[in-house]
Amino acid sequence: MSEVSTTLERESVSPEALAHLGEGHIAYVKQVRSEDVPDLFPQAPKIAPGLKLFALHAADGTPIMLTDSREAAIANAWSNELQAVSVH
């Protein structure tokens, strides 16, 4: 029996097209540390270090909200008619 190999070429996606992928339809939930909050949400009040929080981001990476519960982040996405996905 002979082995057949196939190479698939990936279509290149421009950074601009990638940035708009899922825009207005998809948001992602990411667990963050409280130490990272000032960089993501500069307007947020000071939060004690060592906490695990959840940030909801627009598809382009724009932070939308911060919460202490993954479920609350997903609920906020749904209430804004966004499909929430998780990233690790």
Side-chain angles (χ1 to χ4, degrees), residues 26-67:
I26 296 175
Y28 63 91
V29 178
K30 182 176 180 181
Q31 185 174 323
V32 297
R33 298 174 318 148
S34 55
E35 293 85 354
D36 298 328
V37 170
D39 293 332
L40 295 170
F41 298 90
Q43 72 282 11
K46 188 170 180 168
I47 300 174
L51 298 175
K52 291 181 184 177
L53 303 168
F54 294 87
L56 179 67
H57 295 265
D60 67 358
T62 303
I64 297 173
M65 72 161 303
L66 182 69
T67 182

